[in-house]
Amino acid sequence: MKAFDAAIIGAGVTGAALARELSRYRVSVLLLEKEAEPAFGVSKSNSGIIHAGTQNPPGSLKARLCVEGNRLIAGPLAAELGLDFIRCGQLIAVFDPADLPRLERIKSEGEAMGVEGLRIVDRAWLEANEPNLGPEVRAALFCPTAGMISPYRFVYALVENAAANGTELRTGSEVAAISRGADGVFALVAGGQEYRARFVVNAAGLYADRIAALAGLPPYPIKPRKGEEYLLDRKREHIANHIIFPLPSGKSKGILIIKTSDGNPMIGPTAHDTGDSGDLSTTDEGLAEVLAGARRMMPSISRSDIIAYFAGLRPAAGDDFVIRHEDALPGFFSAAGIQSPGLTAAPAIALMLARLMEGRGLKLEPKKDFRPLREKPVHLFQVSPERTRELIAEDPGYGDIVCRCEMVSAREIRDAIKRGARTLDGVKFRTRAQAGRCHGGFCTTRIMKIMREELALSPLAVTKRGAGSEIIKDERK
Ligand SMILES: Cc1cc2nc3c(=O)[nH]c(=O)nc-3n(C[C@H](O)[C@H](O)[C@H](O)COP(=O)(O)OP(=O)(O)OC[C@H]3O[C@@H](n4cnc5c(N)ncnc54)[C@H](O)[C@@H]3O)c2cc1C
């Protein structure tokens, strides 16, 4: 049986970024994901902020890799992969002038880590540049390098480009057993198949502790920390010009007003430890906390602006990322505890892991035919009416609007399926169809019909997010 050079467990942003990084080299890479599609773990439920690199403990991996990840995303990755990265900048607001020394400290710590362009701005600046801020906000730290991205489209772009460069992706492949033979090669059982790999990377997010235990390592103490987020109607798109933070608490960056790359602003997240890695519930208390925090900074935000909500779980393993070679199990690497700012840091984590793997004998010889570029998919919500007219002239499928809330055409949905979408959520994350105010009430059946045509699927086999979430039940069975 073929032995891959490297097997990566988990196709979230960490595993996807590593797969893409390794795909530059003449090594064979297997990316194993237990869910029906990539980006169905923590990487789908977050704030989508590409942090500047402030608010992390100086000297931590989080601090260093966040600054480096921001540069990689804003620079080569956005250009090569056609990412929807928007550098809108962030503000860290203070309500009490007595807190200005804390802001100064965040600024000098950020500067020491290499964060560029930081400056403290006063009330007059804020009134001119962020007019909807409430009167309580007295000053802020302006961090111009922060931005926003679509987190799942980021993962899909990485996976697509890695696959175009030879990475083999296996979804629906939950790693259930790991052993290491006398020849030092690992055997992994996933989705009922056996695979062999010389190097293994555990990038399993909330389940990294289980993978460590399967490999016979002492499990990491993963303590999920829940964050509830509330999405506002797109009509509030221009409520803020920046991502707005309060001063961080000991545990989190606080309740934020988040611009998203798709238009709808978002408020949140909470930060509460939970013992349950499956607890994605939202609560009345969470909503009250988020609304109070957001309204203190921007009083015009109201409960009726909220159109959707979700919770995500930060896979915390102590205060920092755990990125290392496991000396007790040569050839096995961990990328665990990838809590916030993991989305930002992922490309830098990937570089660090690649260096660690090279240090342990993975030969990284550049591929002559590496293709760094990926064609960006068309999203009508991002293009001008003139360009939309041209696209419709090229293919009338662009004029066949399936999701009216978000203006998504049949052609965009077909493209998403051709690029790998296999579930209704996969279509939603790639295109935004079903993500609007009606939550798919209007377009779901139409999307199912397109999936049936493109994938030759029985309607009974169409799922929301994989096996067990079928939309139509056959009552005859
Ligand atoms: C509420 C919230 C807000 C956040 N906001 C931000 C932000 O604004 N900016 C930022 O930089 N970071 C943010 N983060 C952090 C960021 O989302 C995470 O750091 C990042 O998504 C972690 O990615 P990952 O790939 O390590 O984990 P995941 O995305 O969870 O990927 C792990 C993958 O492994 C798979 N897997 C698990 N077990 C197995 C198995 N046995 N076999 C095969 N596959 C398996 C899972 O299905 C999953 O797809 C936020 C997090 C939360 C919860």
Side-chain angles (χ1 to χ4, degrees):
M1 191 196 302
K2 164 183 173 180
F4 287 87
D5 291 311
I8 303 167
I9 304 173
V13 72
T14 307
L18 177 61
R20 200 272 178 168
E21 180 55 31
L22 292 180
S23 75
R24 295 173 184 281
Y25 303 101
R26 294 182 56 188
V27 289
S28 54
V29 179
L30 172 69
L31 181 57
L32 292 167
E33 170 53 53
K34 76 178 170 71
E35 299 296 334
E37 297 196 40
F40 276 21
V42 185
S43 298
K44 79 171 185 324
S45 314
N46 57 61
S47 309
I49 300 168
I50 299 307
H51 291 285
T54 53
Q55 301 132 290
N56 292 310
S60 62
L61 276 177
K62 287 199 292 193
R64 176 166 69 78
L65 298 174
C66 182
V67 178
E68 192 183 344
N70 178 303
R71 284 197 193 119
L72 290 166
I73 291 168
L77 287 177
E80 290 172 356
L81 302 179
L83 303 177
D84 300 316
F85 171 65
I86 302 170
R87 198 164 235 176
C88 55
Q90 83 180 40
L91 295 169
I92 305 174
V94 290
F95 302 108
D96 182 349
D99 281 330
L100 276 170
R102 280 188 66 199
L103 219 50
E104 292 282 2
R105 196 169 66 238
I106 295 173
K107 177 172 177 281
S108 52
E109 285 174 357
E111 284 166 346
M113 290 181 296
V115 183
E116 288 164 12
L118 297 176
R119 75 190 152 103
I120 292 182
V121 293
D122 62 10
R123 179 76 207 172
W125 188 98
L126 291 171
E127 278 170 12
N129 293 281
E130 202 57 271
N132 292 326
L133 276 180
E136 276 196 80
V137 180
R138 308 306 312 159
L141 177 63
F142 175 45
C143 316
T145 54
M148 53 198 177
I149 203 166
S150 159
Y152 11 83
R153 292 208 297 273
F154 181 22
V155 178
Y156 295 135
L158 290 163
V159 171
E160 251 180 70
N161 191 247
N165 285 295
T167 297
E168 293 193 31
L169 168 70
R170 301 277 187 281
T171 52
S173 298
E174 176 165 1
V175 173
I178 303 173
S179 56
R180 191 163 176 270
D183 55 358
V185 175
F186 289 93
L188 298 111
V189 179
Q193 301 278 326
E194 191 173 317
Y195 301 96
R196 281 157 48 82
R198 290 170 47 233
F199 294 89
V200 174
V201 180
N202 175 4
L206 288 163
Y207 303 93
D209 51 354
R210 296 190 195 168
I211 296 295
L214 283 181
L217 292 164
Y220 323 100
I222 298 235
K223 292 211 175 76
R225 187 171 302 143
K226 186 160 82 169
E228 297 181 29
E229 308 248 28
Y230 294 83
L231 207 67
L232 310 188
D233 198 301
R234 198 194 267 263
K235 68 181 186 228
R236 304 303 315 260
E237 179 168 358
H238 302 293
I239 193 169
N241 296 321
H242 306 87
I243 302 159
I244 306 172
F245 294 63
L247 275 174
S249 69
K251 227 181 197 181
S252 81
K253 299 184 184 73
I255 302 295
L256 325 176
I257 297 164
I258 305 158
K259 284 179 78 66
T260 67
S261 63
D262 292 348
N264 308 60
M266 202 158 68
I267 54 176
T270 54
H272 297 292
D273 292 338
T274 159
D276 180 356
S277 51
D279 175 11
L280 293 174
S281 59
T282 49
T283 60
D284 288 346
E285 298 75 37
L287 170 61
E289 182 188 339
V290 167
L291 263 180
R295 283 172 53 81
R296 189 166 183 211
M297 296 191 290
M298 218 163 250
S300 68
I301 293 174
S302 84
R303 193 183 173 133
S304 63
D305 291 327
I306 296 171
I307 62 160
Y309 37 83
F310 63 87
L313 296 166
R314 303 167 184 88
D319 293 333
D320 207 354
F321 298 153
V322 178
I323 303 169
R324 64 184 179 213
H325 175 253
E326 297 292 350
D327 292 341
L329 192 57
F332 193 95
F333 299 82
S334 297
I338 309 298
Q339 51 185 297
S340 186
L343 184 74
T344 312
I349 295 174
L351 281 176
M352 181 176 168
L353 282 165
R355 278 194 295 267
L356 287 175
M357 294 170 88
E358 190 178 24
R360 293 281 157 173
L362 180 66
K363 224 169 140 214
L364 294 183
E365 201 181 306
K367 263 183 204 155
K368 287 205 180 71
D369 56 352
F370 173 63
R371 285 179 288 158
L373 301 183
R374 161 191 177 259
E375 193 185 341
K376 181 180 174 2
V378 170
H379 297 294
L380 290 187
F381 69 87
Q382 292 173 336
V383 304
S384 65
E386 295 71 40
R387 179 70 191 131
T388 304
R389 267 194 292 276
E390 285 168 16
L391 287 165
I392 294 170
E394 281 166 28
D395 180 345
Y398 283 116
D400 178 4
I401 298 300
V402 174
C403 168
R404 291 190 185 173
C405 299
E406 298 294 314
M407 293 298 281
V408 184
S409 65
R411 169 64 195 262
E412 289 164 82
I413 292 165
R414 289 187 198 281
D415 280 351
I417 296 167
K418 291 196 176 95
R419 285 173 184 255
R422 291 293 175 269
T423 64
L424 286 167
D425 275 358
V427 169
K428 175 165 84 176
F429 295 155
R430 285 172 176 85
T431 65
R432 291 193 57 73
Q434 316 154 78
R437 221 178 217 288
C438 89
H439 300 290
F442 179 78
C443 62
T444 299
T445 47
R446 190 65 212 289
I447 298 169
M448 289 172 71
K449 186 165 174 283
I450 297 175
M451 289 176 76
R452 196 182 125 198
E453 288 162 9
E454 291 291 331
L455 299 169
L457 270 184
S458 149
L460 295 173
V462 175
T463 67
K464 181 164 167 49
R465 65 179 83 85
S469 63
E470 287 74 16
I471 305 295
I472 301 174
K473 195 169 165 214
D474 186 351
E475 292 283 339
R476 292 166 305 179
K477 284 190 183 160

